[in-house]
């Protein structure tokens, strides 16, 4: 999966589609984003004990995209594929699964290469959906991440306690595979949202599959 997605909708639409009361919206003043990139904060739906909402319900909160890098690496890990790895297993429990709202995601298109060799993205979306959701996992972490500080033009490395998320990926459907044959994000249909947030892993892992190509479109 290319490390970019869009969330070009507003908080009211997200609250409505994820069935959230206003008190469960903890985003502050969120501005629709034409591009969400690694190591940026983005809206995530937490559920149950993780969300801490009234009655243990869902909440909509800002988390940072990208798990801490493994030893010897420097970049945050944004996408999860090998779910048998010890890197991911601790975070596959219901308490650490989440929904990541999006309106489109990008993959580099090999046929869209300019004279300098730069590859432009193709954008994909769920057909007819106002907002969709990736299957995600999240974790707490203490360490240094980039953060805007005192109005300085460049973000600085700041130590602190963070909540980080990653997006699950899987083998692509034919629509995405024509552009990016390695992987695509796991997109959950609305009827699967509750199970992803609450079900035992033996049940939830069956949701880790590609959305059918006929339910998607190339959006740009």
């Amino acid at each position: 999966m290319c490390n970019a997605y869009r969330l070009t909708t507003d908080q009211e639409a997200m609250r409505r589609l994820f069935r959230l009361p206003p008190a469960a919206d903890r985003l502050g003043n969120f501005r629709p984003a034409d591009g969400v990139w690694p190591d940026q904060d983005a809206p995530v739906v937490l559920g149950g004990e993780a969300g801490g909402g009234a009655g243990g319900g869902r909440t909509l909160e800002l988390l940072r995209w990208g798990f801490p890098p493994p030893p010897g690496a420097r970049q945050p890990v944004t996408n999860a594929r090998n779910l048998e790895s010890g890197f991911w297993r601790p975070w596959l429990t219901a308490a650490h699964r989440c929904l990541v709202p999006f309106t489109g995601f990008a993959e580099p298109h090999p046929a869209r290469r300019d004279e300098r060799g730069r590859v432009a993205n193709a954008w994909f979306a769920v057909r007819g959906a106002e907002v969709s959701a990736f299957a995600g996992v999240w974790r707490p972490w203490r360490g240094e991440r980039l953060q805007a500080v005192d109005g300085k033009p460049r973000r600085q490395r700041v130590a602190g306690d963070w909540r980080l998320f990653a997006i699950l990926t899987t083998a692509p459907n034919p629509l995405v595979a024509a552009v990016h044959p390695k992987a695509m994000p796991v997109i959950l249909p609305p009827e699967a949202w509750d199970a992803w947030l609450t079900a035992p892993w033996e049940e939830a892992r069956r949701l880790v599959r590609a959305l059918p190509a006929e339910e998607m479109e190339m959006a740009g």
Side-chain angles (χ1 to χ4, degrees):
M1 173 185 168
C2 183
N3 283 318
Y5 67 91
R6 291 170 173 160
L7 184 54
T8 54
T9 192
D10 57 29
Q11 290 169 254
E12 182 179 354
M14 286 188 280
R15 289 196 302 266
R16 181 175 64 253
L17 291 171
F18 293 106
R19 304 191 303 275
L20 298 170
D25 181 351
R26 301 173 181 174
L27 296 183
N29 293 318
F30 172 75
R31 300 176 64 182
D34 197 50
V36 179
W37 313 98
D39 217 15
Q40 289 185 349
D41 294 333
V44 168
V45 178
L46 303 179
E49 295 180 2
R58 300 169 175 172
T59 57
L60 184 61
E61 311 196 28
L62 286 177
L63 275 66
R64 180 65 60 95
W65 189 15
F67 270 36
R74 298 187 61 184
Q75 298 300 320
V77 184
T78 55
N79 301 319
R81 179 71 185 273
N82 180 11
L83 303 183
E84 301 302 320
S85 166
F87 187 86
W88 298 112
R89 278 200 308 270
W91 316 111
L92 296 173
T93 63
H96 289 278
R97 296 196 296 265
C98 61
L99 303 172
V100 182
F102 77 98
T103 52
F105 69 91
E107 301 288 2
H109 198 309
R112 297 180 180 178
R113 190 182 301 270
D114 65 18
E115 64 277 4
R116 297 184 181 181
R118 296 175 300 192
V119 178
N121 286 326
W123 288 87
F124 298 90
V126 177
R127 191 182 301 276
E130 185 176 8
V131 180
S132 305
F134 298 129
V137 290
W138 75 277
R139 61 163 294 177
W141 182 71
R142 182 166 182 78
E144 290 187 348
R145 297 299 285 259
L146 292 172
Q147 185 81 350
V149 178
D150 298 330
K152 294 181 180 180
R154 293 185 178 180
R155 297 194 299 169
Q156 310 293 313
R157 298 197 70 85
V158 176
D161 293 307
W162 308 87
R163 291 185 300 171
L164 311 174
F165 74 93
I167 296 167
L168 275 66
T169 63
T170 189
N173 63 33
L175 178 69
V176 178
V179 173
H180 188 70
K182 292 184 178 180
M184 65 173 283
V186 175
I187 300 169
L188 298 171
E191 61 270 20
W193 293 348
D194 285 331
W196 182 252
L197 292 177
T198 62
W201 176 238
E202 292 75 16
E203 177 183 341
R205 71 183 304 162
R206 294 197 289 269
L207 301 172
V208 181
R209 58 181 183 265
L211 192 71
E214 59 268 22
E215 297 182 26
M216 296 179 58
E217 61 186 1
M218 190 179 294

